[in-house]
Amino acid sequence: KVYEDMIDRHHDFGKEIWFAGGAWKWQGFHSGNKLSFGRIKKSIKACTKKCVNNIVLTMWGDGGNEVPANAVLPSLLYASECVKGNFGIKNLKQKFSEIFNENLDDFMLLDMRREDCEQRCVDTSCGAKEFLYGDTFLGKFDSTVVGDEKDFFIKMERKFRRAKNRSKNFAYIFS
């Protein structure tokens, strides 16, 4: 509804409309493929319904540009499928393997998301960036750190190591 309303307002200008969505990679050290999937699906459905034929997908690098562009390959593939009318993610794993010779689940690890993290730190990187860049004495981001991050990062390191060993072309991302 939000996308459709915005498109309607832009149609009022009487000019050709271009829609620029995003493959999220600009919020810390993690990608945002899962978040991107939901927004891509909604925006492309709205563009189709409102006859917007010009669609681009951005990959901003603000906030440090720490995330490699290839980390959002799942989002790019999903957008490609959505413009063809394939909004499900059921066949995405197989397509990802066929096209990139990689495991989609491994790439989804790069989102580094935790359910509790989703709730408590929407605009932060759930500890990683705060630990690296934060000033210990100021404690500005201490409220985003709950104390169990060490266990989470140890578990993620193991998963990334396994993904790195399986990867055919993108081991550097998992390093």
Side-chain angles (χ1 to χ4, degrees), residues 3 32-44 78:
Y3 289 120
N33 288 297
K34 184 179 175 186
L35 176 66
S36 297
F37 285 2
R39 294 187 179 182
I40 288 168
K41 179 180 182 176
K42 290 175 185 174
S43 64
I44 291 178
Y78 184 66

Side-chain angles (χ1 to χ4, degrees), residues 73-89:
L73 284 174
S75 294
L76 300 177
L77 178 61
Y78 184 66
S80 171
E81 288 299 302
C82 285
V83 297
K84 298 173 194 167
N86 304 326
F87 293 99
I89 57 170

Side-chain angles (χ1 to χ4, degrees), residues 67-112:
V67 180
N70 287 330
V72 293
L73 284 174
S75 294
L76 300 177
L77 178 61
Y78 184 66
S80 171
E81 288 299 302
C82 285
V83 297
K84 298 173 194 167
N86 304 326
F87 293 99
I89 57 170
K90 183 178 168 187
N91 297 321
L92 206 60
K93 285 184 183 184
Q94 181 181 339
K95 279 244 189 213
F96 197 82
S97 179
E98 289 170 8
I99 293 171
F100 301 111
N101 199 24
E102 296 288 339
N103 182 317
L104 177 69
D105 291 333
D106 287 345
F107 272 73
M108 295 304 288
L109 288 173
L110 297 169
D111 282 11
M112 286 182 53

